Amino acid sequence: MNSTAIATRIDSAEQALSTARTLAAHFATGAAARDRDRKLPHREIDELSASGLLAITVPAQYGGADLAPGVVAEVIRILAAADPNIAQIPHSHFVYLNLLRLAGTPTQQRDLFSDVLGGGRIANAQSERGGKTIAAISTTVKPESGGLRLDGSKFYCTGSLYAHTLAVLAKLVDPSGESGLEPGEYVAFIPADIAGVRIVDDWNGLGQRTTGSGTITFEAVTVYPKQLVARAKAINAPAGYGAFAQLLHVAIDAGIASGALRAATEFARTKSRPWFEAAVDRAVDDPLLIQRFGELAVEVRTAEATLSAAANAVDATFSSTPANAKERAAEASIAVATAKIVADRAANEVSSALFEVSGTRSAAADLGLDHFWRNARTHTLHDPVRWKYQHIGRALLHDSPPPLHGVI
């Protein structure tokens, strides 16, 4: 069982961002080695919990800082520039806290928000292998012996190796209505160490190696109605649920681009040799190198600017009124889709160009500079940007609103 840290209380956006910068400076040391050797960052994740950053979205009525999505995105971006693995681990933690905010009962909210304020961590058990699409769910909750039984298998369960609570997506199978629950999909919030749960550390991706994104099996796991949250109430409402989840993915990509540019700049300043045709004494005085760094800086700044614009749009959905909720939700989804395209491009281009501008020395395996590219290439596969263009184009030409739920 993972330890639960006693979390520091964070009360403001300024405190959250300052804390994130301090932790990022610490996490950057050893990030490449952890990624290369696949050394799981248990200590660092405990420090993240203890910092209070994982509780910054807990609503004020439950004792939290209730900080806006834009603050969460900036925290994630700062962490991703230092260690993209650590930045992705709490992604689903924040997403499912938002689900709880939108669709949980007061008792569910009180109990789980209290756990998080004390340092508790939530991880997802959502995606599955073998279905026709990523949206296909075969994990089930069924009535049995007067209670409920959870069975199934999940993959890509990011953060599960570090979690205290698992958020398990399952469909209710109850044709006779024995459970008294409405038909549909539910998220079961269950302890990670409960009987019948088996977490397997089998993630073998070329990047994001330490995110704990392995397989979880559920065999005859006993669950109770009080642990179930109906998913439809969150994903079908114009409340920015999908846009918020996607915004955090954008923040990871923008952070990777920023971290790669920072690493390239440091390498060029301290280790690169000038190309002989440049007739300069230092690599950083090569006019062609200066030009290329300028181009890469524009890519990164553009990604950061579109992330900021998207964050403002998602923030607006959290404060929308019934009269403008649909409009705000659509605007947020389009803004996040735009930012996702830009950040995807920046993360992949800058992390690859890192070697181009740094020279042959930068390819030495012991330096671990490849972790930026491997992490960018792996994380940006999460959902295809080609469909973001579709959403943007349809909205422009057909006044067709984008999907509310997104891919989380």
Side-chain angles (χ1 to χ4, degrees):
M1 177 65 177
N2 292 305
S3 62
T4 303
I6 302 301
T8 299
R9 179 181 171 87
I10 289 179
D11 295 310
S12 67
E14 292 74 16
Q15 185 184 0
L17 298 180
S18 176
T19 300
R21 295 185 192 102
T22 299
L23 283 177
H26 171 52
F27 293 160
T29 302
R34 285 193 300 272
D35 190 274
R36 181 186 63 237
D37 302 333
R38 202 173 177 277
K39 181 181 178 182
L40 299 179
H42 285 287
R43 182 184 66 185
E44 288 79 6
I45 297 304
D46 281 343
E47 291 172 349
L48 184 60
S49 288
S51 75
L53 284 176
L54 298 186
I56 60 176
T57 62
V58 171
Q61 70 187 95
Y62 293 102
D66 206 3
L67 297 184
V71 178
V72 183
E74 183 61 9
V75 165
I76 295 296
R77 188 198 68 79
I78 290 168
L79 295 176
D83 187 331
N85 289 274
I86 288 176
Q88 190 179 354
I89 289 165
H91 175 276
S92 57
H93 171 91
F94 285 116
V95 170
Y96 283 105
L97 287 181
N98 192 33
L99 177 102
L100 190 66
R101 178 183 71 88
L102 293 171
T105 67
T107 299
Q108 290 169 333
Q109 293 172 342
R110 182 196 65 215
D111 292 346
L112 282 167
F113 287 145
S114 177
D115 286 347
V116 169
L117 286 170
R121 298 186 289 267
I122 300 171
N124 88 90
Q126 176 168 303
S127 295
E128 300 180 5
R129 279 176 161 174
K132 184 177 180 180
T133 72
I134 193 174
I137 302 297
S138 61
T139 298
T140 60
V141 172
K142 300 178 180 179
E144 182 182 77
S145 303
L148 295 169
R149 167 180 172 151
L150 173 68
D151 293 278
S153 181
K154 299 289 187 177
F155 194 59
Y156 302 123
C157 300
T158 298
S160 57
L161 296 178
Y162 315 97
H164 306 104
T165 299
L166 300 175
V168 188
L169 178 60
K171 61 182 179 182
L172 177 66
V173 178
D174 183 16
S176 65
E178 182 181 344
S179 68
L181 298 170
E182 293 292 325
E185 293 180 345
Y186 286 81
V187 174
F189 288 88
I190 63 173
D193 60 352
I194 195 173
V197 173
R198 182 168 177 258
I199 301 175
V200 183
D201 181 15
D202 61 353
W203 170 241
N204 64 350
L206 66 87
Q208 297 298 87
R209 292 175 173 177
T210 66
T211 55
S213 301
T215 298
I216 308 179
T217 57
F218 305 92
E219 185 175 356
V221 177
T222 299
V223 296
Y224 302 94
K226 67 180 182 180
Q227 295 172 301
L228 301 180
V229 176
R231 187 169 180 247
K233 187 175 180 180
I235 67 172
N236 294 334
Y241 179 74
F244 173 65
Q246 283 287 299
L247 181 71
L248 302 189
H249 284 304
V250 175
I252 294 168
D253 294 340
I256 293 174
S258 175
L261 181 61
R262 185 186 306 157
T265 301
E266 177 64 16
F267 198 95
R269 285 173 173 171
T270 60
K271 296 182 176 65
S272 293
R273 294 186 297 178
W275 185 243
F276 69 94
E277 291 178 283
V280 295
D281 293 329
R282 301 184 306 164
V284 293
D285 294 325
D286 179 343
L288 298 183
L289 191 69
I290 291 171
Q291 173 73 20
R292 187 63 177 130
F293 265 97
E295 293 168 352
L296 297 176
V298 169
E299 289 286 337
V300 173
R301 302 298 176 259
T302 303
E304 292 173 344
T306 52
L307 170 64
S308 179
N312 289 338
V314 177
D315 285 354
T317 68
F318 277 47
S319 58
S320 62
T321 65
N324 65 15
K326 289 184 178 180
E327 180 182 0
R328 293 287 181 268
E331 290 171 350
S333 292
I334 293 300
V336 172
T338 303
K340 181 71 167 64
I341 291 168
V342 174
D344 181 297
R345 181 175 61 223
N348 284 299
E349 179 176 351
V350 178
S351 62
S352 177
L354 185 160
F355 301 99
E356 169 198 335
V357 296
S358 300
T360 307
R361 291 182 180 184
S362 64
D366 61 309
L367 295 176
L369 293 176
D370 61 309
H371 83 97
F372 290 105
W373 179 83
R374 286 187 294 98
N375 291 330
R377 183 62 281 173
T378 301
H379 182 258
T380 54
L381 295 174
H382 184 273
D383 57 302
V385 295
R386 61 184 179 272
W387 277 97
K388 307 304 180 188
Y389 286 106
Q390 285 287 313
H391 297 158
I392 295 167
R394 289 172 182 174
L396 184 64
L397 295 174
H398 302 156
D399 289 324
S400 175
L404 289 173
H405 55 79
V407 178
I408 70 168

